Structure formats: structure tokens, C-alpha cells
Amino acid sequence: MPGTALAAVEVPVADWFDPREAMRDPYPSYERLRETGPVVFAPAVQRYFLTTHAAVSWAEQHPERFSSYSEQNLTMMRALGGRPMLRKDDPAHAAERSAINPTLRPRAIKEVWSPSFEKNVDRWIARLLEIGPAHADLNRDFAAPVASQNLIDLLGFPSDVHVDDMRRWSTDYIAGIGNLLDDADIWRRCDRSQAEVNTILDSLLPVLRRTPDGSITSHLLQVGLPEETVRANVHLTISGGMNEPQHMITNIVWALSTHPDQRAEVLAGEVAWGDVFEETVRWQSPIGMIPRELVDDTELEGFSLPAGANMGLLLASANRDEAVFPHAAHYDVRRRARGHLGFGAGVHMCAGRWAAKTAVGEYALPRLYERIPGLELATDRDTRWDGWVFRGITALPVTW
Ligand code: HEM
């Protein structure tokens, strides 16, 4: 590990790494990268990748060296129109993060948010049943609206905000965060989404100042953060708080449908839904890579890395590391997947992980299979996956 006695050597170069190929299916590239080494330079994205569980974990435990702010990675701030906690280091980050923690801890999730999660799931199962087995798309008709409505509630947004708008804002921000090629149309979409969300906040923030509630937005206000910081963190929460739980709902249905023996065990109650959730986050991680920048010259696994190095911590590759997860390429709901890095680790570890696990693992999936036990993938229509840094299913036709 870092500080090792080995003489520093040149970092291997993966000149074959092609982000377009990774968009189609990143896992073969991850495997080859891990075979190449724990630290690999990828010229196509001008980044040093950390590929193994040990290397990614070490970086996450040393935020004083691996900064979350980087002049080389400004797309998130451009997309969200401000600098959220995820692009700050401690202590500035901690001041913002500690504002939202109380309302996202397991107890608040259980006492404050679970009734909404339950209600939202039931409402959209009813809609799925109305659409029927010939036309239903689990992403469009269930995962996206459930994840959107949950986030509308968590943020304390007015009840007339439409799930399709929340979904569009989230999709636009995610596209912007990944807009490394500077596509002008993506920036236009981000600007429009920012303007729409800001119009809602213009009315909502004065109300929440007068009458605070349990929402994320209210908690950000209550600790006295400047308004632009509150707004930046609301935009941040919209970007990740809808897209990833949406992907987890479809990923789990897809994973269980393609492993019917395991689905039978889960539906027979032999495996806890919480374990299914964790194993699926490990096996098909919705966030494949997180960016960092090296503050100082650093030796890592015997390699010399210069201050200012543009780093990519490959969470999804670390989650397939055989040294930690035997038969890592196999989906196995009975394995203990805890210790996976699908939510990151360290100071920026996902603030919404309990909300996601409860909403998806305790409500969306169990109730979906309870109401529609014969849920299957529809073979007459195509399933579509998309993305590499943010990866998930964009169409999941189902039948029953
Ligand atoms: C299964 C679903 C989810 C996954 C896989 C996921 C994944 C992640 C990851 C990997 C990070 C760390 C990023 C980094 O260090 O660069 C993160 C951070 C974050 N997530 Fe999530 N997330 C999920 C759901 C949610 C939800 C539902 C919310 C909000 C309600 C949320 C809010 C946040 C926030 C605010 C941060 C920034 C934390 C900080 O900077 O301290 N996430 N998430």
C-alpha cells in the first residue's frame, strides 16, 4: 500500500481503454484494467484509474490527499449551477453534510419517510397494473415515478411537482455531470432544469424559513448555510437521489429475472431483501467511477503519482475484485456483499444510502413481487442499458 518500501515505478498505460466500449458494457474493460494493475493510466480520459478494492478504499480513507474539488472536473458545478458538498473537502464539506445527515439516518427514514415510500410504491403498482402486461415498462411506469416521488417528498417540494419533471431534472443534471465533450445542448437542458428548480425554491425557501419541516431542503436552511449553498445541494440531491434508486429498482428486477433460482429463494423468504439490495449494488453498481484530484505527490501501491493527477476511483471495478469477493463476476444474493464500494466510502459516502435501501429494498421490491408474483422480463421487447460513469437500465419491458 502507499508508503511502501518498493521503488516507485511507471504507471502502466491502458491505451486500449475506450469509453464508448465502456458505455456498452464496462465490465470486460474493468477486468482487463484490474489485470493490468491497481493503478492504470487511461489516455482516452486522461485519468489515472484505481481499479482494486484496496486501492480505492485507501484513496477514500485519505481525502486530505484525494481532493473532491478539481479544476479539471468542473462539469458537476456547471451542471448544477453551484458548488455542492460533493465538490468540497472538509471542513467546508462537513458543515453541509452534517446539515442533511439527521433526516437521512435510519431512524428518520423509518419514522418520517417510510409512510411516503409505502404510499408511493402502492400508487405506482396500481398504475403498472392498469398499463398491463402487454405494454408495461418497469423503468418508465414504476421505477422512475417511484424514485421521483420519493425524492419530491424527501426534498419537501410542493405536492403539485410532477414526477416527470423531477425525472427530467435528474436526467439533465446527470447528463451535465458527464458532459466531458461540452455538448451545448446538454448545457441548455441543465440551464432549463436549474431555472425550473430555482423557481420552485424561490417560493419554497421563504415558507421553510418561517415553518421548518423534516425535509432535506429545510435541514439545509436550518443550519444557516448561505442560500446559494442550499440551492447547490438541492440540485446535487436531485442529480443522484432519483437516478440511482431508479436504477436499483430495475437492476434488481433484471438480476433476479435472469437468475430465476435465486429469485425463487428470495420470494420464498430464504434471503433478506436487504441482502439482495447490497449484492445488486455490488454487482451492477449504478455509479461506476468517482473523480478526485491528487493534492500532493503520492506513492500508491509502489507507483509514483504527481500532485494534480486527475484520478478516477473505479467503484464498479473494485466491487468485482476477486481478492475481496470470490467469484466476483457471479451474482449471488447469498453472499455477504457488505464492504462493497457502491456507495463510496469515507467522508463523502452516500448520504442517501439508508433512504435508498429502505425505499427500494423494504418497499418497492417486496411489494412489487407481492402484488405481481409472476413478474418477468418481456422477451418481445428490448431491454436497454446505458452509461458507464452512471450506468443503468433505460428501458425494462416486463410482463406477468
Ligand atoms: C442506490 C442508490 C444510490 C447510490 C448507488 C448512490 C451512490 C453514491 C455515491 C457513490 C456517492 C459518493 C460520490 C463521491 O464520493 O464522489 C454518493 C454521494 C451522495 N449521495 Fe448517493 N447514491 C444513491 C442514492 C442516494 C439518495 C436516495 C440520495 C438522497 C436522498 C443521495 C444523496 C447523496 C448525496 C447528498 C451525496 C454527497 C455526499 C457528500 O458529499 O458527503 N444518494 N452517492
Side-chain angles (χ1 to χ4, degrees), residues 13 27 61 113 152 190 243 247:
V13 175
Y27 286 102
Q61 285 151 19
W113 301 115
I152 290 169
C190 287
N243 196 61
H247 285 159

Side-chain angles (χ1 to χ4, degrees), residues 85-86 93 97 241 244 248 287 290 292 342-343 348 350 352:
M85 65 180 87
L86 193 47
H93 155 265
R97 173 65 188 253
E244 318 325 332
M248 282 312 302
I287 299 188
I290 55 176
R292 296 290 189 264
F343 290 113
H348 290 282
C350 178

Side-chain angles (χ1 to χ4, degrees), residues 264-326:
E265 290 173 11
V266 174
L267 298 190
E270 292 166 19
V271 181
W273 278 106
D275 292 342
V276 177
F277 179 85
E278 299 293 347
E279 170 62 353
T280 315
V281 177
R282 180 197 74 81
W283 188 62
Q284 292 292 335
S285 307
I287 299 188
M289 184 195 77
I290 55 176
R292 296 290 189 264
E293 184 177 294
L294 267 191
V295 176
D296 293 315
D297 293 351
T298 297
E299 259 187 49
L300 177 56
E301 302 266 11
F303 297 108
S304 250
L305 297 168
N310 194 16
M311 307 296 301
L313 281 53
L314 294 180
L315 304 180
S317 171
N319 284 340
R320 295 279 186 107
D321 186 342
E322 289 280 333
V324 179
F325 305 107

